Each structure stands twice: as structure tokens, then as C-alpha cells.
């Protein structure tokens, strides 16, 4: 992943506005093919017709969690303000819940899911892993605000068009989660809307190889994003933030388990 600033604009190469191509497993996730997403019906389960776009959406939810969950853990560990740590807590809890739903939906509908994020998404993790201090806080808030802003419209389109009840339920949950994450990023006070909005609407093309999460290998354990210890509930995005210096729990790294 490459982040550059030019004339006051932050360019993050790539996005989470993703489109997949293959039937059993995605060949590509990339914003440049969003408009060409097929509505062809690929299966007719009891939950309703399943289109290519429906299948792709389930994979997008899984792929998003595979990089945003560990980034949320980084925010809990490295965030220098209560607002950044709160945003990290929301990422961890939100994507643990979405991951559980997406894996159940995928199993029911026969959709193959990745166990690792795409090279681009791994780049986001690497960038934020290398950051520290206020630079981490700023990059975290702006990268996550950009990617959530991009995926927000994708969730809405799926919710408006899918005929599959399971995909519809996942889209409802994803819509609430993405809006929550957008809100907590904005509450950090670090989002620069001048370049975030530009980035959301003018994304450079990225090679397909960088946008595709690797397919699971035969016999590879399924990675499960575990919920916070004790199942503690999160405050709403509009709730008051913890007082300065308040600590938030740090979750262990995702442990590969057979699900």
C-alpha cells in the first residue's frame, strides 16, 4: 500500500469498494469494476435467489474484518487518545460480530471465504503497524474513514437489491456496523474531510493481484475473529468517550480455529 500527500490530498492506493469475479472464490476485489458487477443468479437456495453480487458481498464482509479487526487491536494498543482507543474497540467488536454472521451465511449458501486479507489490505495493516504516536492516530482515523465511506454505498446497494433473506440480514448488520465505525472515526477529531472526500470519489486503479485475498488452502483451519472477552457491550457511537487516561481492554490476536 502507498500513502502520499499531494497538494493537501491524501491518496491511499486502493479501497474496500470491492467486486469479485469467480463463482466459487473471488478472482478480484477492485473498485474499478464495481459498475460491472453481475446480477446473474448463481444459485436458488431456500433463502432466495443468490446473485454474483450477493456472493461477492459476503466475501467483502469477511475480507474487511480480516484487516480491520487487527487494526482495531493496534488502536487499543497504540492509540494515544481515548477517542482513538474507543474507535479501535468498536472495530474489534463490530467485526467479530460481522465475521460470525458472514461465516454462518457463507456456510449455508456454499460460499468460500478467505482466511487472509488481500495484499492491499495487508498493506494497511503494515502501514499502521509501523506508525506510532500522533502519526498512528491520524493515519488510523483517515484510512478507516476513507475505506468505510467507500463501502457504505456498496452495503446500501446490496440491501436495496438482494432477494436473498440471509444476505439481506447480513447487509442490515453491516450497514449498522459501518455507520458506527464512520461515526467513531469522525469523533476522533482527526478526520480531514478535504482529502477524505476526494479519496472516496476518485480512487486510482490498483492491479487485481493486490486486491484479491488468497483462497484458503486444503485443510487450512478457519480463522475466527473472537469477540471481546466477557462479551462486554460497546457504547453507541454517539455516547460520551472515556475520560482521558482511561484504559480499554486489549484483545489477543485472532487465533486460527476450526469453525
Amino acid at each position: 500500500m502507498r500513502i502520499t500527500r499531494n497538494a493537501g490530498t491524501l491518496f491511499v492506493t486502493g479501497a474496500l469498494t470491492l467486486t469479485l469475479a469467480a463463482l466459487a472464490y473471488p478472482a478480484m476485489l477492485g473498485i474499478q469494476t464495481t459498475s460491472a458487477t453481475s446480477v446473474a443468479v448463481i444459485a436458488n437456495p431456500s433463502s432466495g435467489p443468490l446473485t454474483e453480487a450477493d456472493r461477492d458481498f459476503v466475501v467483502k464482509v469477511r475480507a474487511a474484518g480480516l484487516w480491520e479487526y487487527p487494526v482495531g487491536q493496534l488502536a487499543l494498543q497504540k492509540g494515544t487518545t481515548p477517542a482513538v482507543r474507543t474507535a479501535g474497540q468498536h472495530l474489534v467488536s463490530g467485526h467479530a460480530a460481522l465475521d460470525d454472521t458472514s461465516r454462518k451465511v457463507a456456510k449455508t449458501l456454499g460460499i468460500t471465504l478467505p482466511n487472509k486479507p488481500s495484499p492491499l489490505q495487508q498493506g494497511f495493516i503494515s502501514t499502521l503497524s509501523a506508525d506510532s504516536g500522533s502519526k498512528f492516530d491520524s493515519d488510523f482515523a483517515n484510512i478507516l474513514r476513507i475505506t468505510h465511506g467507500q463501502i457504505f454505498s456498496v452495503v446500501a446497494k446490496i440491501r436495496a437489491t438482494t432477494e436473498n433473506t440471509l444476505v439481506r440480514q447480513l447487509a442490515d448488520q453491516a450497514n449498522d456496523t459501518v455507520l458506527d465505525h464512520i461515526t467513531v472515526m469522525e469523533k476522533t477529531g482527526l478526520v480531514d474531510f478535504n482529502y477524505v472526500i476526494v479519496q472516496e470519489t476518485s480512487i486510482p486503479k490498483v492491479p487485481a493481484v493486490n486486491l484479491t485475498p488468497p483462497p484458503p488452502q486444503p485443510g487450512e483451519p478457519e480463522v475466527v475473529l473472537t469477540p471481546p472477552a466477557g462479551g462486554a457491550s460497546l457504547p453507541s457511537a454517539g455516547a460520551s468517550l472515556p475520560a482521558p487516561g482511561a484504559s480499554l481492554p486489549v484483545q489477543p490476536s485472532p487465533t486460527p480455529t476450526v469453525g
Side-chain angles (χ1 to χ4, degrees):
M1 185 194 72
R2 179 168 58 88
I3 302 179
T4 59
R5 292 181 184 271
N6 184 9
T9 300
L10 173 70
F11 292 96
V12 180
T13 305
L16 276 187
T17 308
L18 309 174
T19 302
L20 313 182
L23 177 61
Y25 191 79
M28 170 177 184
L29 284 77
I31 187 170
Q32 55 264 47
T33 59
T34 298
S35 61
T37 299
S38 174
V39 294
V41 174
I42 58 176
N44 283 286
S46 60
S47 53
L50 183 72
T51 67
E52 291 183 2
D54 293 336
R55 177 212 54 212
D56 298 350
F57 175 70
V58 178
V59 177
K60 292 173 193 178
V61 172
R62 168 69 165 174
L66 290 172
W67 79 272
E68 292 181 36
Y69 180 98
V71 163
Q73 292 179 315
L74 287 175
L76 287 169
Q77 298 166 353
K78 301 169 67 172
T80 67
T81 71
V84 169
R85 296 194 296 274
T86 294
Q89 187 183 26
H90 279 248
L91 286 180
V92 169
S93 294
H95 281 289
L98 272 179
D99 185 68
D100 181 66
T101 303
S102 67
R103 286 184 294 105
K104 289 176 180 176
V105 169
K107 183 176 181 180
T108 301
L109 299 178
I111 298 172
T112 302
L113 296 179
N115 278 320
K116 298 177 181 178
S118 71
L120 174 66
Q121 293 165 338
Q122 292 175 34
F124 290 144
I125 298 173
S126 296
T127 294
L128 292 170
S129 295
D131 280 350
S132 61
S134 61
K135 187 175 189 303
F136 171 85
D137 293 345
S138 179
D139 285 350
F140 169 79
N142 285 283
I143 290 173
L144 272 297
R145 177 58 181 81
I146 289 167
T147 55
H148 282 85
Q150 290 164 349
I151 199 66
F152 200 31
S153 61
V154 177
V155 176
K157 182 176 181 180
I158 289 294
R159 180 59 182 85
T161 60
T162 184
E163 296 182 60
N164 187 278
T165 58
L166 293 179
V167 174
R168 190 177 302 137
Q169 291 168 11
L170 179 62
D172 283 340
Q173 184 179 349
N175 183 76
D176 291 343
T177 302
V178 172
L179 179 57
D180 174 75
H181 293 173
I182 285 175
T183 303
V184 293
M185 294 306 155
E186 293 170 348
K187 285 179 72 68
T188 65
L190 299 171
V191 174
D192 186 334
F193 288 97
N194 288 331
Y195 59 73
V196 164
I197 294 174
V198 170
Q199 178 61 24
E200 286 180 2
T201 57
S202 57
I203 309 301
K205 290 187 175 182
V206 180
V209 66
N210 292 336
L211 299 168
T212 307
Q217 298 301 307
E220 180 181 348
E222 183 181 55
V223 172
V224 175
L225 306 183
T226 57
S233 60
L234 286 172
S236 66
S240 298
L241 296 173
S247 61
L248 294 172
V250 178
Q251 304 303 320
S253 298
T255 301
T257 60
V258 177

